[in-house]
Amino acid sequence: MVYMDYNATTPCDKRVVESMLPYFSENFANASSVYQPARAARKAVEEAREKVASLAGCLPEEIFFTSGGTESDNWAIVGAALKLEARGKHIITSRVEHHAVINTCKALARKGYRITYLPVDSHGVVDLSKLEASIKKDTVLVSVMYANNEIGTIQPVGKIAELARSRGVLFHTDAVQAFGKLPLRLDKNGPDMASFSAHKLYGPKGVGALYIRKGVSIPPFIKGGGQEKGRRSGTTNVAGIVGFGRAAEIVAAEMDADIERVGNLRDILEKRIMETIPEIVVNGHPENRLHNTLNVCIRYIEGESILMSLDFEGICASSGSACTSGSLEPSHVLLAIGLPHEVAHGSLRLSLGRYNTMEDVEKVSSVLPGIVDRLRQISPFWNEKKTG
Amino acid sequence: MEYTDKVCEYFRNPKNMGRIENPDGVSTVGNPICGDVMKIYIKVRDDRIEDIKFETFGCGAAIATSSVVTELAKGKTLQEAEKISNREVVDFLGGLPPVKKHCSLLAEDGLKAAIKNYREKKGAK
């Protein structure tokens, strides 16, 4: 099998699994209890917090563990909205956000909030002048992702933070795709809040974190026994958090080499695909793009049929076509960068990672042209184009 | 998204794909904006569908249903072919995921529209 869907999820690193095992049956203690094993569990959680903070370039006390990226996004946005309710009910986000952000904003819109969805350019970068113009007296939060999951475009987070800060508006960033792929330094000049997820960086599913900058306070989203200093209740997911910490530690040690190796594989794959398949476009920013992500639109054919064909060859990838989402609309990200519907339907996302090899790249680049050719033979548009 | 083995098989090895030069009837149904377009060509002799081919831009289900509807129609009289329903296409494939039902409707519509086009052409002569 060739797995090229690392932006969807990553395999849990065996070293991560190993670090987690003691916290299932051996030391199963509730980390909130008073006895010895609980203290050991608490210590392991705090060590994990340090490792995650170190990768994020922030302080350990600024990391709050959650059930994942979606919860972190929900908490940050709803929390900021509730906290600043009296000041205003306007939130600014972008048209290319993950559904965890978009649908949270939509839910707030139904409660009377005004949401501005910033447009992006053809590379998927948010328009900073539009952002500046959109900030009004009642604006309480800006939420713009760090790097896009579909096309990999990296947003000018530093500039957005500066702008938001100068206008006294909170800034949250969904850093789920960026965390582990880009070196982050979350300090006083950066965003006020950032969402992370463990399973995107070779950690387990079901655990993530919200970075909340020191001095920023939002009300809890999950209420209960007061874990995480009263800010995120629920019995501490010790094994998951330990795994997250170990995953962050491994990424921190291997990131530079990984960026170079995986980035190189992606570039070779991109070059080969572009050379062998006509009528194809690369989506995303040419430079400011995640090193592992390759998103292309292959004209005159449809994405799901490409995925099915790749699957028959043992290749796992994804697409922003409508058919993969169960609706008739193709990816909102591809539409936001200005692609026509029929082109957006032909999208293919190949996202690489730690366990990909040159053989994988060779396999995909040798198999894909034949698949495209076959599907184009069936396509009325391709045949029309050929005959004029 | 769960496809039956039959859908996968017909997606992989569709029958009757391609064009017919100088067809007696042709139709284009669907919309590129929605991601599915089906084109059906028919050759008619003595009121019977002698040959039928399709070209489809679309997902796995769209390609599989196109193939199935052409197979069901081939050799049938126009009256018989007109009665082919999307239900028949779905049953032939052992079912389709609910979100893909429109693909089978497209197949039914495409066949009917090709027959209609044939009749219009014939009537005009």
Side-chain angles (χ1 to χ4, degrees):
Chain A
M1 183 187 89
V2 175
Y3 185 78
M4 282 205 188
D5 203 13
Y6 280 81
N7 286 7
T9 192
T10 60
C12 204
D13 191 302
K14 289 198 170 65
R15 293 168 286 182
V16 169
V17 176
E18 212 171 292
S19 75
M20 295 168 70
L21 290 177
Y23 297 96
F24 288 103
S25 303
E26 271 170 61
N27 185 353
F28 55 86
N30 187 323
S32 303
S33 301
V34 292
Y35 29 76
Q36 288 278 4
R39 285 218 291 278
R42 268 204 298 283
K43 188 164 169 277
V45 166
E46 291 320 307
E47 280 168 11
R49 198 185 308 278
E50 279 168 26
K51 289 168 187 170
V52 170
S54 166
L55 184 63
C58 68
L59 303 168
E61 58 265 37
E62 294 174 318
I63 294 293
F64 297 89
F65 290 113
T66 65
S67 65
T70 296
E71 184 195 320
S72 297
D73 286 340
N74 272 264
W75 180 17
I77 295 166
V78 174
L82 288 176
K83 165 97 181 168
L84 302 167
E85 208 171 11
R87 219 179 82 192
K89 289 190 162 189
H90 179 225
I91 292 170
I92 300 171
T93 184
S94 86
R95 287 192 191 158
V96 295
E97 296 302 308
H98 190 274
H99 284 113
V101 168
I102 291 185
N103 288 339
T104 302
C105 288
K106 281 187 181 165
L108 286 173
R110 287 192 290 273
K111 297 272 179 201
Y113 283 78
R114 196 158 57 81
I115 314 289
T116 300
Y117 297 92
L118 294 173
V120 296
D121 65 15
S122 62
H123 293 141
V125 181
V126 292
D127 188 329
L128 287 173
S129 61
K130 286 255 169 56
L131 167 61
E132 189 162 17
S134 302
I135 300 177
K136 305 284 188 227
K137 257 180 36 205
D138 62 340
T139 308
V140 291
L141 176 74
V142 173
S143 180
V144 173
M145 70 202 324
Y146 210 114
N148 187 268
N149 48 314
E150 288 187 40
I151 59 174
T153 295
I154 300 163
Q155 299 295 347
V157 169
K159 285 185 184 143
I160 298 171
E162 198 183 317
L163 197 57
R165 184 141 307 132
S166 73
R167 305 284 294 271
V169 176
L170 280 180
F171 172 38
H172 161 255
T173 187
D174 174 349
V176 165
Q177 289 295 339
F179 194 50
K181 297 194 189 90
L182 291 171
L184 303 188
R185 223 189 72 224
L186 299 176
D187 57 18
K188 61 179 172 45
N189 299 317
D192 298 294
M193 295 179 280
S195 304
F196 309 135
S197 171
H199 76 95
K200 306 285 190 194
L201 52 139
Y202 313 94
K205 292 165 183 65
V207 58
L210 181 65
Y211 155 82
I212 306 177
R213 198 165 55 76
K214 218 173 162 177
V216 174
S217 157
I218 56 167
F221 186 64
I222 307 280
K223 275 79 71 180
Q227 288 86 351
E228 295 291 286
K229 290 183 200 147
R231 298 176 82 171
R232 200 282 186 181
S233 291
T235 300
T236 309
N237 176 6
V238 179
I241 290 167
V242 166
F244 190 10
R246 182 74 180 114
E249 183 179 44
I250 294 167
V251 163
E254 300 177 358
M255 189 193 277
D256 292 348
D258 226 48
I259 289 178
E260 192 174 327
R261 193 187 70 84
V262 175
N264 190 37
L265 289 179
R266 194 277 312 264
D267 290 347
I268 295 170
L269 182 64
E270 177 173 331
K271 191 163 170 281
R272 290 205 181 157
I273 288 176
M274 298 307 286
E275 278 169 3
T276 51
I277 300 173
E279 300 269 359
I280 180 169
V281 284
V282 177
N283 300 313
H285 197 280
E287 285 98 38
N288 297 327
R289 180 166 52 131
L290 292 175
H291 69 277
N292 76 318
T293 306
L294 175 59
N295 187 309
V296 291
C297 280
I298 306 176
R299 296 197 66 168
Y300 310 113
I301 56 176
E302 193 277 333
E304 191 216 58
S305 60
I306 305 171
L307 294 190
M308 279 178 76
S309 307
L310 285 170
D311 185 33
F312 292 139
E313 302 285 342
I315 298 164
C316 307
S318 73
S319 167
S321 92
C323 282
T324 54
S325 67
S327 75
L328 287 178
E329 277 289 295
S331 144
H332 64 287
V333 175
L334 299 176
L335 295 180
I337 62 173
L339 294 177
H341 278 71
E342 61 272 27
V343 176
H345 281 298
S347 83
L348 172 67
R349 182 186 72 182
L350 297 160
S351 50
L352 288 72
R354 187 174 287 168
Y355 305 106
N356 283 127
T357 61
M358 192 58 207
E359 286 79 69
D360 293 344
V361 168
E362 266 155 18
K363 165 105 193 214
V364 173
S365 51
S366 70
V367 157
L368 190 59
I371 289 172
V372 171
D373 203 46
R374 183 183 94 88
L375 293 171
R376 280 182 172 167
Q377 293 307 321
I378 309 177
S379 166
F381 302 132
W382 179 251
N383 293 331
E384 262 164 37
K385 188 197 127 58
K386 268 195 333 197
T387 53
Chain B
M1 184 76 61
E2 278 302 323
Y3 282 141
T4 60
D5 290 346
K6 202 112 188 217
V7 174
C8 293
E9 188 189 313
Y10 272 82
F11 167 69
R12 271 179 109 155
N13 300 303
K15 316 280 190 314
N16 307 317
M17 55 180 238
R19 308 179 130 180
I20 295 177
E21 297 303 325
N22 306 314
D24 296 326
V26 63
S27 69
T28 304
V29 293
N31 187 334
I33 289 175
C34 304
D36 287 305
V37 174
M38 220 173 264
K39 206 163 172 178
I40 290 188
Y41 304 82
I42 53 171
K43 202 88 187 160
V44 180
R45 183 185 278 184
D46 302 334
D47 251 19
R48 203 171 274 279
I49 297 179
E50 190 185 53
D51 198 9
I52 177 164
K53 286 199 185 304
F54 77 91
E55 290 175 314
T56 293
F57 162 84
C59 61
I63 290 170
T65 54
S66 309
S67 174
V68 168
V69 84
T70 58
E71 276 176 81
L72 291 174
K74 200 168 182 174
K76 287 211 164 80
T77 65
L78 296 177
Q79 290 76 7
E80 286 165 347
E82 270 174 323
K83 287 193 198 120
I84 295 171
S85 68
N86 75 305
R87 189 70 249 167
E88 242 173 288
V89 173
V90 173
D91 289 345
F92 189 94
L93 289 167
L96 274 181
V99 294
K100 299 291 187 181
K101 286 276 147 71
H102 70 275
C103 295
S104 63
L105 280 168
L106 213 56
E108 180 190 321
D109 292 349
L111 176 62
K112 285 189 171 141
I115 295 170
K116 186 163 171 261
N117 176 256
Y118 163 75
R119 291 210 163 112
E120 279 165 4
K121 273 191 185 168
K122 210 180 144 201
K125 268 178 197 166

